[in-house]
Amino acid sequence: MGHWRRLFPTIMRLLLRWLRLCPRWARGHRSAQLQELWSYSRLLLKSLCFNSLCSSDVVLDSVFEPVYWLVDHFTRWFGVLFVSLVILLTSSVVLIVYYYVLPMIISSYPTPWIAWHLCYGHWNLVMVVFHYYKATRTDPGHPPLIKNDTPSVSICKKCIIPKPPRTHHCSICNRCVLKMDHHCPWLNNCVGHFNHRYFFSFCLFMTMGCIYCSVSCWNMFVGAYSAIESYYQTPEPSFSFHERMFHKCIIYVWVLTSSVAVALGGLTLWHAALITHGETSVERHINRKESRRLKDRGKIFQNPYNYGRMQNWKLFFGVEKCSHWLTRFLLPSAHTPYGDGLVWEWSWLKAESAFNFSLV
């Protein structure tokens, strides 16, 4: 054993001396061999994992897949909480308006203004409640699970079923949705073909209601804010408990309705622009990428589901004649949307058929 202990340092010294005396070309030859081995290993790894459909988007989706999983599951479980929050906040504003604001309007406003507030306020409330209930309870529509003659554009990689045009898979609902726009946590439901109109109408009338409350309560808000500032003066003003609650409730209503009007108003304008161009939120992203791709090739992209601005709105609200603007837009209506969500007519084919009909 002692012999090997004395021999090992001697061998190491000889190895180090040999490396010092080794020619430079030998070292370069070894480094070239290592670099060649590394390149071959990379080529081997790529050949085992190569996929013609792979791209930077696929890599990013794969990296963020755990994040998507967490978001989907949290959204699915917190959907009930978000719906309860919407009902709670809306109910609190309605109760304060009935208990504090409406009596003040009736006692201090002239008769025409009282009639206006009573009619418009209750109409707006009915429209908000009706469309929110229908948006949450109406199924957005799903493609059939069994094989049939319905035309499809691709196969869903998650459901493994044919996908009709404008159909996309919702990872939160874990199902394909017809004419999917997005999954709304405030509805705890997907926005699709059969409840898209209810969702947009709810956003529109809720925004109008919040603007109405914010404008109507402005003078009360200014007075309540001044009164709350006087709480910290000396001597302290002698406000009763009812008056203090009135001040705080008015501040709460005005701040809440103004904030919602700004946030929800922006969302409503965005969806109005999408409807004007005959798109959904998902299709907007897809169409922009397709437009850039065709532009690089010197071509122009045309949305096949854009039938013209006015016609897009008529199809969206189901307006077939002038009276429908009253019965189907300004009044609560549960009519079904145009089509079944499975088959869609392209805009240029529709225009061509209309042109041929006019010639006949």
Side-chain angles (χ1 to χ4, degrees), residues 77-91:
W77 288 107
F78 279 90
V80 178
L81 178 62
F82 290 154
V83 171
S84 302
L85 186 62
V86 171
I87 296 174
L88 179 64
L89 294 178
T90 306
S91 301

Side-chain angles (χ1 to χ4, degrees), residues 97-111 113-115 117-118 220 246:
V97 168
Y98 271 106
Y99 191 76
Y100 287 112
V101 179
L102 196 58
M104 179 170 288
I105 290 176
I106 294 176
S107 61
S108 58
Y109 281 42
T111 303
W113 278 109
I114 295 175
H117 282 288
L118 289 175
M220 302 179 195
F246 170 78

Side-chain angles (χ1 to χ4, degrees), residues 345-360:
E345 188 175 3
W346 289 0
S347 58
W348 53 78
L349 293 179
K350 190 170 184 178
E352 183 179 354
S353 62
F355 176 74
N356 292 335
F357 177 78
S358 64
L359 291 179
V360 174

Side-chain angles (χ1 to χ4, degrees), residues 9 76-77 83 91 113 122 129 131 139 144 150 216 278 327:
R76 186 181 305 168
W77 288 107
V83 171
S91 301
W113 278 109
H122 286 91
V129 173
H131 286 104
D139 191 276
T150 302
S216 301
T327 58

Side-chain angles (χ1 to χ4, degrees), residues 122-132 205 329-332:
H122 286 91
W123 169 78
N124 204 332
L125 178 62
V126 168
M127 297 297 285
V128 168
V129 173
F130 172 79
H131 286 104
Y132 187 71
F205 291 113
F329 175 62
L330 296 178
L331 293 176

Side-chain angles (χ1 to χ4, degrees), residues 123-169:
W123 169 78
N124 204 332
L125 178 62
V126 168
M127 297 297 285
V128 168
V129 173
F130 172 79
H131 286 104
Y132 187 71
Y133 175 80
K134 295 294 289 185
T136 55
R137 303 299 298 175
T138 302
D139 191 276
H142 307 283
L145 300 178
I146 59 176
K147 294 183 178 180
N148 54 21
D149 296 332
T150 302
S152 60
V153 294
S154 63
I155 301 294
C156 179
K157 294 181 289 185
K158 301 292 182 67
C159 300
I160 317 299
I161 60 172
K163 286 201 315 183
R166 314 188 79 177
T167 300
H168 302 279
H169 185 86

Side-chain angles (χ1 to χ4, degrees), residues 223-292:
Y225 187 80
S226 301
I228 289 178
E229 282 189 330
S230 67
Y231 289 176
Y232 307 100
Q233 296 178 358
T234 52
E236 185 178 352
S238 57
F239 289 115
S240 63
F241 175 78
H242 183 271
E243 291 174 334
R244 290 176 180 269
M245 286 299 298
F246 170 78
H247 298 154
K248 294 176 182 178
C249 287
I250 293 299
I251 296 291
Y252 165 78
V253 167
W254 191 87
V255 172
L256 178 61
T257 55
S258 300
S259 303
V260 173
V262 173
L264 193 59
L267 180 65
T268 305
L269 291 175
W270 164 251
H271 280 277
L274 293 178
I275 296 169
T276 303
H277 294 92
E279 297 176 320
T280 62
S281 300
V282 178
E283 291 171 351
R284 174 68 172 175
H285 174 69
I286 296 173
N287 291 346
R288 289 184 66 181
K289 292 181 65 175
E290 189 67 12
S291 298
R292 289 195 295 266

